Amino acid sequence: TIEPYVLRLRQASNYISAKVVSNSEIMQNNYITLNRGSNDGIELDMGVVSDQGVVGRLVSVSSNYSFVKTVFSRNYNVSVQFKKQKTFGTLTWDNDSQSSVGRLQNIPRHVNAQVGDTIITSGFNAVFPQGTIVGTIKNAEINDHQTWFDITIDLSTDLKSLYYVYVVKDPNNPERKQLELNNK
């Protein structure tokens, strides 16, 4: 079956399709280069997704190309939630250049975290729309003295198989960013 977010990607006018022309997948900070740039409406800090799920965020843009820092990068955070429970947390990469595993942080012990639960974007930032798949829980552990779960996630995106992606072009994004910046 096709996930709802994939259908939205195919139907939405707020996405710009792009081809991956180069990538790195064995570094501590991994990037992809796209064949679209400012001439195509691409701007800094736009999110990038694929049919597989979350890919990353644009960090550099020229006239005809753009450079994306992927979720497989050190110190990259994504605001996420459980698909079925709507509990929110933060996802970071496991910082292992050979790993497609992430860590889910700030999930309290009262949450019913189960292996196989689907994790999606929360929409709490102005980069990714709510509901884009991030991955599934690989392991969820908590001991009697912990407040937070130790959760690992199998990330859904495979950098080695990315050929086409979608750049998120949200027309309300600049207004939202400015409002949030003015009120911090």
Side-chain angles (χ1 to χ4, degrees):
T1 65
I2 297 177
E3 290 286 332
Y5 76 90
V6 174
L7 291 174
R8 285 196 314 269
L9 285 178
R10 292 181 182 161
Q11 297 170 352
S13 60
N14 290 337
Y15 293 88
I16 301 168
S17 63
K19 183 177 180 182
V20 176
V21 295
S22 72
N23 71 6
S24 67
E25 73 269 346
I26 59 169
M27 313 292 277
Q28 286 295 309
N29 290 303
N30 291 290
Y31 296 90
I32 60 173
T33 304
L34 306 179
N35 71 336
R36 301 272 191 238
S38 60
N39 290 344
D40 303 295
I42 303 291
E43 300 172 5
L44 284 178
D45 295 323
M46 288 179 163
V48 178
V49 297
S50 74
D51 286 349
Q52 298 174 15
V54 169
V55 174
R57 181 179 54 84
L58 287 156
V59 294
S60 184
V61 178
S62 68
S63 296
N64 298 301
Y65 294 94
S66 51
F67 200 58
V68 179
K69 184 175 185 178
T70 73
V71 293
F72 299 95
S73 295
R74 194 176 28 170
N75 301 323
Y76 191 101
N77 298 323
V78 178
S79 178
V80 297
Q81 70 182 53
F82 285 71
K83 183 176 181 179
K84 67 180 181 181
Q85 298 180 53
K86 309 299 183 216
T87 301
F88 301 97
T90 303
L91 177 92
T92 59
W93 183 48
D94 210 14
N95 288 331
D96 177 355
S97 61
Q98 301 299 314
S99 173
S100 62
V101 173
R103 295 234 175 248
L104 188 53
Q105 301 172 351
N106 307 322
I107 303 300
R109 70 177 307 114
H110 71 273
V111 171
N112 185 16
Q114 300 291 318
V115 171
D117 283 350
T118 301
I119 304 300
I120 59 176
T121 54
S122 68
F124 277 6
N125 60 32
V127 178
F128 301 108
Q130 182 179 13
T132 304
I133 193 163
V134 175
T136 56
I137 293 182
K138 177 179 182 176
N139 191 21
E141 296 179 353
I142 193 163
N143 68 38
D144 292 337
H145 305 292
Q146 287 179 294
T147 304
W148 309 100
F149 268 99
D150 181 16
I151 298 176
T152 55
I153 307 293
D154 279 325
L155 298 172
S156 61
T157 301
D158 177 9
L159 287 182
K160 294 175 186 168
S161 68
L162 278 183
Y163 294 100
Y164 294 95
V165 296
Y166 303 94
V167 179
V168 180
K169 186 168 179 65
D170 182 354
N172 297 316
N173 195 6
E175 179 184 357
R176 177 181 172 177
K177 282 184 179 179
Q178 188 62 47
L179 179 66
E180 290 172 353
L181 183 63
N182 290 342
N183 289 294
K184 284 189 177 182

